[in-house]
Amino acid sequence: MTEDQLISILRDSGYKVTPQRLAICNYVLSSKEHPTVEQIHSEILEKNPTISLNTIYQTMDMLIDLGLVQEMRFSGSSSRFDPNTSVHANIICQNCSKIRDFESEGIRELWSRIVMEMNVEPLGQRLDVYVLCDECRK
Amino acid sequence: MTEDQLISILRDSGYKVTPQRLAICNYVLSSKEHPTVEQIHSEILEKNPTISLNTIYQTMDMLIDLGLVQEMRFSGSSSRFDPNTSVHANIICQNCSKIRDFESEGIRELWSRIVMEMNVEPLGQRLDVYVLCDECRK
DNA sequence: TTTACAAATCGTAATGATTACTAACTAGTA
DNA sequence: TACTAGTTAGTAATCATTACGATTTGTAAA
């Protein structure tokens, strides 16, 4: 998504466009790390040294409201945010908590079949696979 | 699972068998409600009025360790525990947080496909579908 | 049965992520 | 340019969870 597109989405939904929001959105929406609030905060602090932790929380609430990120909570750690809202699987290492996204046509196909079987209108989904990653298996 | 089987599992894993543990396990393992620690606590309190919240937490850790329940964390609420450890989907209402389990051949197929395509050895899974349930849609 | 000891329990204190609050500030608009 | 509602920063409050320590209990060996 371009910055202009993002700005339109914010304005259309009644959110004001602020430098803080742009900085946070640019970082989070392009991140592959499924970052925590703390990680986002320390990243943004480098260029915007007075940004408040609270602003990160509020901006993440906004992104959730806009459907641009998904919040994922885990045992023993704080929330992480996934800007990939399409149907995909999260491969999560039980040891180091690293998350890798996995998408495929086969998964999307099977998933839409299952949703049909369930006879529901999904607002979202979360497909987690818990593993030990290559490094942690050693 | 019978109580005798449960007792064997505890003993075999080096856990002592206490009345508190039996009460908690009996309730949680037969529950369909995906209860929270608070719900478990108030349920057990009725017959065991001095049980500590801490004991609930510790017993849930034990059950997780034994692989008999799965912990599920959600935004804006405390952990919930699912005694169904087979491959299944959780249909979760975004509004009232009610959870309904869904099992089917299609789900098991999806799962084996994910495992094959990803080339991983899964230790567990969590398949969530977020919806508005019939009551909340009104 | 009795004893010994490690583990479990209870009650409470500490922790830490998240939320609430408020005064100062700012984007958007007339 | 001035107004207003929304936003920000900083801090305080909340609440689920974890840590701690004194007491109790289950288990196995004497």
Side-chain angles (χ1 to χ4, degrees), chain A residues 107-130:
Chain A
I107 289 183
R108 279 189 291 271
E109 238 169 70
L110 272 167
W111 185 249
S112 65
R113 256 178 51 202
I114 290 166
V115 168
M116 261 176 48
E117 272 187 61
M118 290 178 179
N119 192 31
V120 296
E121 284 178 42
L123 304 172
Q125 69 287 318
R126 169 173 170 178
L127 313 180
D128 287 356
V129 186
Y130 303 113

Side-chain angles (χ1 to χ4, degrees), chain B residues 10-11 43 50 64 68 73 76 82 106-107 116 129:
Chain B
L10 297 191
R11 291 235 169 89
E43 179 72 24
T50 67
I64 292 166
L68 296 178
R73 288 213 171 167
D82 189 350
I107 296 262
M116 228 181 57
V129 193

Side-chain angles (χ1 to χ4, degrees), chain B residues 16 18 20-21 50 52 54-55 58:
Chain B
K16 291 185 177 169
T18 67
Q20 292 93 332
R21 283 183 171 164
T50 67
S52 158
N54 200 0
T55 301
Q58 289 175 207

Side-chain angles (χ1 to χ4, degrees), chain A residues 5-108:
Chain A
Q5 287 177 311
L6 175 64
I7 289 174
S8 296
I9 292 175
L10 297 191
R11 292 234 170 90
D12 289 353
S13 307
Y15 288 108
K16 289 185 178 170
V17 176
T18 67
Q20 291 93 331
R21 284 183 170 163
L22 288 180
I24 296 168
C25 293
N26 281 332
Y27 171 62
V28 172
L29 294 179
S30 65
S31 167
K32 302 288 177 210
E33 314 301 321
H34 305 72
T36 65
V37 164
E38 281 297 343
Q39 285 174 303
I40 300 166
H41 189 227
S42 66
E43 179 73 25
I44 304 294
L45 268 181
E46 292 183 7
K47 298 203 168 172
N48 197 332
T50 67
I51 199 149
S52 158
L53 201 56
N54 199 4
T55 300
I56 314 287
Y57 276 106
Q58 291 178 202
T59 303
M60 297 319 294
D61 283 347
M62 178 190 77
L63 285 173
I64 292 166
D65 176 48
L66 294 173
L68 296 178
V69 304
Q70 183 181 22
E71 182 177 3
M72 305 178 76
R73 287 213 173 167
F74 295 98
S75 310
S77 66
S78 37
S79 281
R80 300 176 63 172
F81 297 90
D82 188 350
N84 182 355
T85 56
S86 65
V87 175
H88 69 280
N90 308 292
I91 306 177
I92 302 166
C93 177
Q94 292 275 41
N95 188 246
C96 69
S97 302
K98 216 173 286 166
I99 302 178
R100 186 159 63 88
D101 279 2
F102 182 87
E103 294 193 58
S104 82
E105 196 45 51
I107 289 183
R108 279 189 291 271

Side-chain angles (χ1 to χ4, degrees), chain B residues 5-23:
Chain B
Q5 286 176 311
L6 176 63
I7 290 174
S8 297
I9 292 175
L10 297 191
R11 291 235 169 89
D12 290 353
S13 308
Y15 288 108
K16 291 185 177 169
V17 176
T18 67
Q20 292 93 332
R21 283 183 171 164
L22 289 180

